[in-house]
Amino acid sequence: MGITVSAYAATSATAPLTETTITRREVGPHDVAFDIHFSGICHSDIHTVKGEWGRTQYPIVPGHEIAGVVTEVGAEVTKYKVGDRVGVGCFVDSCRECDNCRAGIEQYCTGSGMVGTYNAVGRDGERTQGGYSGAIVVDENYVLRIPDALPLDAAAPLLCAGITTYSPLRHWNAGPGSRVAVIGLGGLGHLAVKLAKAMGAEVTVLSQSLKKMEDGLRLGADAYYATSDPDTFAELKGTFDLILNTVSANIDLAAILSLLRVDGTVVELGMPEHPMSVPAGALIGGRRSISGSLIGGIAETQEMLDFCAEHGVRPEIEIIEPTYINEAYERVVASDVRYRFVIDTAGLRN
């Protein structure tokens, strides 16, 4: 018999999220059950709820930035015990057998594909439901340990926004002597600034305007420029080793590529609505690259959590009650949050 918990779900692309109950699976031999204490609101949640990213199965409980405390473990679990502080990010399973899973980059699973924390189907045939709820049951191999130095509320957004920015910074060797630019200072961008600075890079924010400049510099940016100012591109031409594009809007890629040094890379982290054209000359002229990055594997996500604990990296959060979720969605869409909503799920726990 499974575990019945309270949750907030959407029943259609246009319906508000409302309180309901869902059933979690019975704890199996390798499962970890934990009470959810906090769940971040990611823009991906909103896109999925509104059916903007392909097929959404309703009712859907979103949430893939989940932090809580273990309440039960399966008989063969070796990694966790009752009382441990844990989290779950964007996926809860993968095939475990393909080259990518074996290499620890399960997010790129080429077998059955990674199983999303919500709006997916697990190996038990049941639909997955996310963190806007009171508790969850996940295989121990897809659970993360939250270091004691990280408050649970601050840890939650790291499990998507944190790893989404940490992984490309690590992959493209951001650190002392490198120049990193971050396009956009939102939920992803503000963490990219903090992480790149903690890694020792010189960090510049590129934003449409200078309205968040004071915040950007406070968060650790060394410089802040407005992309609406044509002088920005003349002044910064050939400056950066790495540019992280955290926005999901269509941008002038040729102009952005011109800001790279020889062998520099632009990494796409957002999902623009329309394809963006890339003039070949913008790549050829400086042996420049454009790439993309998707969250991170379990081992790298754990590495990121440990790094944040060690270096004092925390997201800027606004704590809300579950009853405020729909208003929070409206504010995220309007870019009216600095910089991440986190739901306190106390009212949903049994």
Side-chain angles (χ1 to χ4, degrees):
M1 194 67 183
I3 306 167
T4 300
V5 298
S6 296
Y8 266 71
T11 56
S12 76
T14 55
L17 281 80
T18 54
E19 188 167 0
T20 185
T21 57
I22 59 173
T23 302
R24 300 296 190 184
R25 69 171 181 262
E26 186 175 353
V27 176
H30 295 282
D31 284 337
V32 172
F34 66 92
D35 280 348
I36 297 172
H37 287 228
F38 296 97
S39 184
I41 291 180
C42 177
H43 210 139
S44 301
D45 301 345
I46 301 172
H47 287 304
T48 306
V49 163
K50 294 182 178 298
E52 295 169 348
W53 279 0
R55 188 178 181 187
T56 299
Q57 290 285 333
Y58 300 98
I60 182 174
V61 177
H64 57 206
E65 298 179 338
I66 308 169
V69 177
V70 176
T71 54
E72 185 181 351
V73 297
E76 297 179 36
V77 168
T78 59
K79 298 179 180 179
Y80 301 100
K81 64 182 187 306
V82 172
D84 283 351
R85 305 164 80 250
V86 296
V88 166
C90 298
F91 60 98
V92 292
D93 206 348
S94 62
C95 84
R96 314 185 192 192
E97 297 173 354
C98 70
D99 289 346
N100 291 342
C101 282
R102 291 181 182 276
I105 48 175
E106 301 95 337
Q107 76 273 31
Y108 302 121
C109 174
T110 56
S112 56
M114 71 170 183
V115 178
T117 303
Y118 59 82
N119 200 41
V121 177
R123 60 180 63 214
D124 60 0
E126 297 296 320
R127 286 172 45 217
T128 58
Q129 301 287 6
Y132 298 7
S133 57
I136 194 168
V137 179
V138 179
D139 184 285
E140 67 172 326
N141 293 299
Y142 297 83
V143 176
L144 288 307
R145 185 177 300 280
I146 296 176
D148 290 340
L150 281 177
L152 287 178
D153 54 2
L158 296 176
L159 294 160
C160 176
I163 187 57
T164 296
T165 48
Y166 180 91
S167 185
L169 288 168
R170 272 288 183 247
H171 183 78
W172 277 277
N173 301 310
S178 65
R179 293 181 172 181
V180 175
V182 177
I183 302 176
L185 193 70
L188 292 179
H190 91 286
L191 276 170
V193 169
K194 289 190 173 194
L195 287 164
K197 190 66 177 179
M199 291 175 183
E202 181 182 316
V203 186
T204 298
V205 174
L206 303 173
S207 187
Q208 281 186 307
S209 71
L210 299 178
K211 67 179 182 179
K212 293 182 182 178
M213 182 173 181
E214 186 178 335
D215 262 12
L217 298 177
R218 174 179 62 83
L219 295 171
D222 298 287
Y224 199 109
Y225 289 85
T227 53
S228 56
D229 182 354
D231 291 341
T232 290
F233 293 92
E235 183 177 345
L236 297 179
K237 184 177 180 179
T239 295
F240 303 107
D241 301 290
L242 178 65
I243 300 175
L244 300 187
N245 181 18
T246 71
V247 301
S248 290
N250 287 83
I251 61 172
D252 184 347
L253 273 177
I256 296 300
L257 284 163
S258 75
L259 304 180
L260 290 172
R261 301 167 76 175
V262 171
D263 290 331
T265 303
V266 170
V267 182
E268 287 292 321
L269 301 178
M271 293 276 282
E273 182 180 357
H274 304 292
M276 293 185 287
S277 61
V278 184
L283 300 173
I284 293 169
R287 202 162 61 192
R288 303 180 181 103
S289 301
I290 183 166
S291 189
S293 183
L294 176 68
I295 52 175
I298 295 298
E300 189 175 47
T301 305
Q302 187 63 61
E303 176 188 304
M304 177 274 306
L305 289 169
D306 295 341
F307 178 91
C308 289
E310 180 181 351
H311 293 272
V313 175
R314 309 280 188 277
E316 309 278 309
I317 61 175
E318 181 176 335
I319 304 292
I320 64 168
E321 297 297 317
T323 52
Y324 191 74
I325 290 172
N326 294 298
E327 288 83 355
Y329 272 27
E330 293 176 4
R331 287 179 55 191
V332 170
V333 172
S335 299
D336 179 27
V337 54
R338 294 195 179 178
Y339 284 90
R340 204 66 157 185
F341 284 118
V342 174
I343 306 163
D344 181 344
T345 58
L348 300 177
R349 294 198 296 277
N350 295 335

